[in-house]
Amino acid sequence: MTFSLDGQFLASASNDGTVRLWDTASYHQVAILPHQHPVLSVAVSPDGTLLASTRKKSVLLWAIPAQQEVGRLEGHIATVNDIAFSPDGIRLVSGSNDTTVRTWDVSTGEEIGRLVHLAKLLFSVNARIVGDLMPDSDLPDALRREFENNGVFLPETATVHFEPLSRD
C-alpha cells in the first residue's frame, strides 16, 4: 500500500483482485479498481495523477481522476512483485520472479532498460532514497553502468532505489 505524495489518499493492493483508493481525511473508500487476480503492489506517480498496479506478469497504469486503465506494461515472463515510480514520474521500475528489473517509459509504455539474470528473485522495488547500502567499489560493472546511465541501483538486498546522481 502507498500514500499519494500529497497524503490525500491511500492506495491498497489486495489478494481479492482489487486496488482500493481511500480518502485519508474521511477514511472512506472512494474507488475500487478491479483486476481479476491478486494485486501484489501499487505505486502512485509523484504528481498523483497515475496509479500503477501489478497484475500477474504485467503492470497496469490507471488515471486516478477517471479511475480508468490507461496502459499496460508487458514483457515480464513471471509474476511482477513490486513497482516504483522514479521521483520525476517519467520512469517506472518493476521487479519480477523472472529475475529481472525492468525500467519503463511511463508516457510511451516502452521498456527502456533491463537488469537480467539476477542471483536472487526480486521481491521489493523501492523509490525512496535509502542511502549508501553498498560501497560503489563493490558494485559489479554491469550494475554500476546501469546506475550511472539510469539512476537504478541494485544492492545485495534485492531492492531497487532511484537516487539523484551527483557528478561532483
Side-chain angles (χ1 to χ4, degrees):
M1 96 180 57
T2 189
F3 283 99
S4 59
L5 196 57
D6 62 11
Q8 292 187 13
F9 69 90
L10 174 75
S12 62
S14 177
N15 281 335
D16 70 2
T18 63
V19 169
R20 296 171 189 263
L21 300 179
W22 306 86
D23 180 295
T24 57
S26 67
Y27 300 102
H28 288 112
Q29 179 180 291
V30 294
I32 299 176
L33 307 176
H35 283 65
Q36 302 172 332
H37 298 282
V39 181
L40 299 179
S41 181
V42 291
V44 176
S45 64
D47 66 5
T49 61
L50 278 179
L51 180 133
S53 58
T54 60
R55 182 181 180 272
K56 289 189 152 189
K57 302 174 190 176
S58 59
V59 176
L60 305 183
L61 299 175
W62 301 82
I64 292 175
Q67 300 173 12
Q68 292 184 346
E69 183 182 334
V70 294
R72 285 183 189 219
L73 309 177
E74 297 181 322
H76 283 290
I77 58 172
T79 301
V80 177
N81 295 307
D82 209 354
I83 50 183
F85 281 96
S86 61
D88 59 12
I90 294 172
R91 294 173 288 164
L92 183 134
V93 290
S94 57
S96 169
N97 284 348
D98 65 9
T99 67
T100 67
V101 174
R102 296 172 192 239
T103 305
W104 308 89
D105 180 307
V106 174
S107 64
T108 65
E110 292 189 33
E111 182 181 342
I112 57 174
R114 183 186 314 181
L115 298 173
V116 296
H117 304 297
L118 303 175
K120 300 178 182 179
L121 298 180
L122 186 73
F123 290 103
S124 180
V125 175
N126 187 340
R128 184 175 176 188
I129 298 172
V130 176
D132 294 329
L133 299 179
M134 196 172 175
D136 213 26
S137 61
D138 290 345
L139 286 174
D141 287 341
L143 295 181
R144 185 179 300 108
R145 279 192 302 276
E146 180 70 15
F147 179 58
E148 289 169 355
N149 293 334
N150 297 313
V152 176
F153 176 56
L154 183 69
E156 281 296 310
T157 57
T159 301
V160 173
H161 306 277
F162 277 104
E163 296 184 3
L165 298 176
S166 172
R167 300 287 185 205
D168 296 335

